Amino acid sequence: MILTSSPAIAHRFPLTDVQAEIWLACQLGPEMSCAYNDASVTSFRGPLNIEVVRNSLDHVVARHEAFRLTFAADGSSQRMMPIMRLEIPVVDWTSLEAPTQNQRLAHLLTAEMSTPFDFARGPLLRARIIRLAREDHRLVICAHHLVCDGWTWSLLQGELGQLYSAHIEARPCDLPEPTPFSTFAADYEEGPDAEAYWLQQFAVPPPPLALPFDHPRLLAFANPGAFAALHLSPSLLQALRLTGARRGATLFTVLLAALHVLLQRLSGQRQTVVAICSAGQNRPGAENVAGHCVNLLPIYDQASADRPFTEHLAEINQLLQAALAHEDYSYGKLLHNLPVPRPFGSAPLVNAVLTFAPPSESAFAGLVTEETYAPKSFVNFDLLFAIRETSGGLAIEVNYNRALLEPATVQRWLGHFHVLLEAITAKPQAMLSALPPLRGD
């Protein structure tokens, strides 16, 4: 049950360009809408106070407009409800054996990721607590991208931990005043030369990326998703970080450059596009905004195999910095203004997306916690890579189009990527053509 105030006193304002693009995509069917679902799982080990978790999450919802948004049936506006409280049910699985608990949790996450949100009634956020043992719980939170981007996930989890800890330790919680999402949306402006920059970048659009898929493409707006992961050791993580730092590039830029090389090798094409996500909260004064504030920026590379990786990295770094300097231009607007193919069942222009999730800063007093994210049930891009730093190194997670790819193929591609990253750190000056060939196993 969701308790809300009367819609008659809700504050209405227009959708941002990016929200409007997502809303329109979601009208193509429930699978496409579910492709924008995200869910986190927080493990709590220790004496969890469930009522404090509930109250803390209610407090976060009350602080941030985005979690209280609903949307007009025709997509003409969004409404910020003054009051919206979540009912957070507790599911008790203490009588079940561990293998059954794990199986049920997997099924529950699949259901969360496969269940559309009601945009008109809201909320676009739901949560539940699972009790596995007296001092072993899971908090599952599912949210839709219309109101929650990656930055917002970090904000939500960090504030939840701070509020919980302050209550448990009987002290005040001095959270910074949030910037309302409606203010962010009203102040959002496209840069004066953003459109000219992006149209110049794609003046000659690239051909569709011809990856060696296992199956023909389905004629569907969204495709069933599957999940795989590659774990890099702390030593390789440090080597990658140093490889970039010595050349004025971040870890993310090194991985982006390497991913372009991998896709070029797999496809046999020089021209590749990998989209990244640019957070609008990087603007001055916007760091405490919750909502969908992200733009998808397609990084278009035309690498030649006869140059060193260091030169390739420098070019990707330049492309990335230029893209971020012109980030205020939506993916949808770019597609509208480009003569690119729009194949049914495939996202135009972009087949692969790379995102970076900073280490979680959430801590809950008296508890040992761990955060993971649920695999997607549906995907709207063929390959969605997410980089997450962990205590054991670096996790490179990929949600992929299961209709196109077999699990063994994706694991093999991740193996190629691992070998490539090791070679880059061992000899970053090596020519791209001299890097290790793709494994045939």
Side-chain angles (χ1 to χ4, degrees):
M1 178 181 179
I2 308 299
L3 303 178
T4 67
S5 66
S6 167
I9 59 174
H11 171 49
R12 297 173 183 263
F13 56 99
L15 281 66
T16 65
D17 289 343
V18 181
Q19 282 184 305
E21 292 162 13
I22 294 176
W23 183 91
L24 188 61
C26 292
Q27 306 314 300
L28 297 174
E31 293 85 3
M32 180 60 91
S33 183
C34 290
Y36 290 98
N37 284 9
D38 283 311
S40 69
V41 182
T42 304
S43 302
F44 297 108
R45 291 180 173 84
L48 180 70
N49 188 318
I50 290 175
E51 284 308 308
V52 175
V53 172
R54 285 172 162 159
N55 292 337
S56 299
L57 188 52
D58 263 344
H59 193 155
V60 174
V61 170
R63 277 173 52 79
H64 295 286
E65 288 183 351
F67 301 131
R68 293 178 277 120
L69 290 175
T70 62
F71 294 80
D74 61 359
S76 60
S77 64
Q78 53 192 323
R79 297 165 294 180
M80 188 276 291
M81 312 302 289
I83 301 173
M84 184 175 283
R85 295 189 178 92
L86 303 178
E87 180 178 299
I88 306 174
V90 177
V91 183
D92 193 321
W93 291 348
T94 55
S95 63
L96 304 176
E97 298 293 330
T100 304
Q101 290 178 340
N102 293 336
Q103 185 180 53
R104 288 202 178 182
L105 180 59
H107 289 164
L108 184 149
L109 294 176
T110 298
E112 287 287 353
M113 298 297 281
S114 306
T115 302
F117 286 93
D118 186 333
F119 294 172
R121 293 187 60 188
L124 276 67
L125 175 78
R126 52 186 178 240
R128 70 181 68 203
I129 295 171
I130 301 163
R131 182 183 291 117
L132 302 179
R134 183 178 177 180
E135 296 193 353
D136 191 4
H137 296 78
R138 303 291 182 271
L139 171 64
V140 177
I141 302 177
C142 186
H144 196 275
H145 247 296
L146 269 173
V147 301
C148 190
D149 58 17
W151 187 294
T152 302
W153 273 111
S154 297
L155 194 65
L156 184 159
Q157 291 163 341
E159 290 191 359
L160 184 60
Q162 291 179 67
L163 288 163
Y164 179 91
S165 299
H167 190 282
I168 293 298
E169 295 171 348
R171 57 175 174 79
C173 186
D174 298 322
L175 292 174
E177 188 67 23
T179 300
F181 179 74
S182 57
T183 300
F184 175 89
D187 292 345
Y188 184 86
E189 291 183 355
E190 184 180 301
D193 58 348
E195 181 167 274
Y197 169 80
W198 286 107
L199 293 182
Q200 176 60 37
Q201 283 296 107
F202 289 91
V204 180
L209 189 63
L211 292 171
F213 295 128
D214 297 307
H215 306 290
R217 189 176 296 279
L218 295 179
L219 298 180
F221 292 114
N223 291 280
F227 176 85
L230 169 66
H231 296 278
L232 307 184
S233 67
S235 59
L236 181 53
L237 169 59
Q238 180 65 7
L240 288 166
R241 205 188 300 277
L242 286 174
T243 297
R246 288 168 178 163
R247 294 159 184 88
T250 63
L251 170 66
F252 179 83
T253 309
V254 174
L255 293 168
L256 176 61
L259 182 56
H260 272 285
V261 174
L262 176 67
L263 296 177
Q264 287 155 6
R265 288 182 160 214
L266 288 171
S267 66
Q269 298 172 222
R270 287 183 56 238
Q271 299 165 306
T272 51
V273 178
V274 177
I276 66 161
C277 293
S278 173
Q281 292 95 333
N282 281 317
R283 299 178 183 184
E287 59 272 8
N288 292 312
V289 176
H292 187 92
C293 309
V294 72
N295 260 345
L296 198 67
L297 308 181
I299 309 300
Y300 181 17
D301 180 51
Q302 304 181 61
S304 171
D306 60 355
R307 64 176 177 175
F309 178 79
T310 49
E311 185 179 318
H312 170 64
L313 175 61
E315 179 175 314
I316 292 295
N317 199 17
Q318 291 177 354
L319 288 171
L320 180 58
Q321 296 309 315
L324 292 173
H326 300 88
E327 64 182 355
D328 300 324
Y329 192 70
S330 74
Y331 172 63
K333 278 190 176 181
L334 178 61
L335 294 180
H336 179 76
N337 289 303
L338 286 181
V340 294
R342 288 168 169 75
F344 192 66
S346 175
L349 195 64
V350 172
N351 290 80
V353 178
L354 180 66
T355 64
F356 180 79
S360 172
E361 297 182 358
S362 64
F364 292 75
L367 301 169
V368 176
T369 64
E370 181 182 4
E371 291 169 6
T372 58
Y373 289 83
K376 285 186 169 292
S377 294
F378 298 96
V379 294
N380 50 348
F381 296 98
D382 294 334
L383 296 165
L384 289 159
F385 293 89
I387 304 164
R388 304 187 194 280
E389 287 196 55
T390 69
S391 57
L394 193 73
I396 300 177
E397 303 170 348
V398 56
N399 284 278
Y400 62 91
N401 185 339
R402 183 163 51 87
L404 290 177
L405 289 161
E406 292 293 329
T409 299
V410 177
Q411 289 294 346
R412 186 170 64 251
W413 290 2
L414 289 174
H416 298 331
F417 198 36
H418 196 179
V419 171
L420 188 62
L421 293 174
E422 289 179 326
I424 287 167
T425 58
K427 195 175 181 181
Q429 300 86 359
M431 304 296 284
L432 295 184
S433 57
L435 292 171
L438 301 181
R439 301 186 307 175
D441 57 323

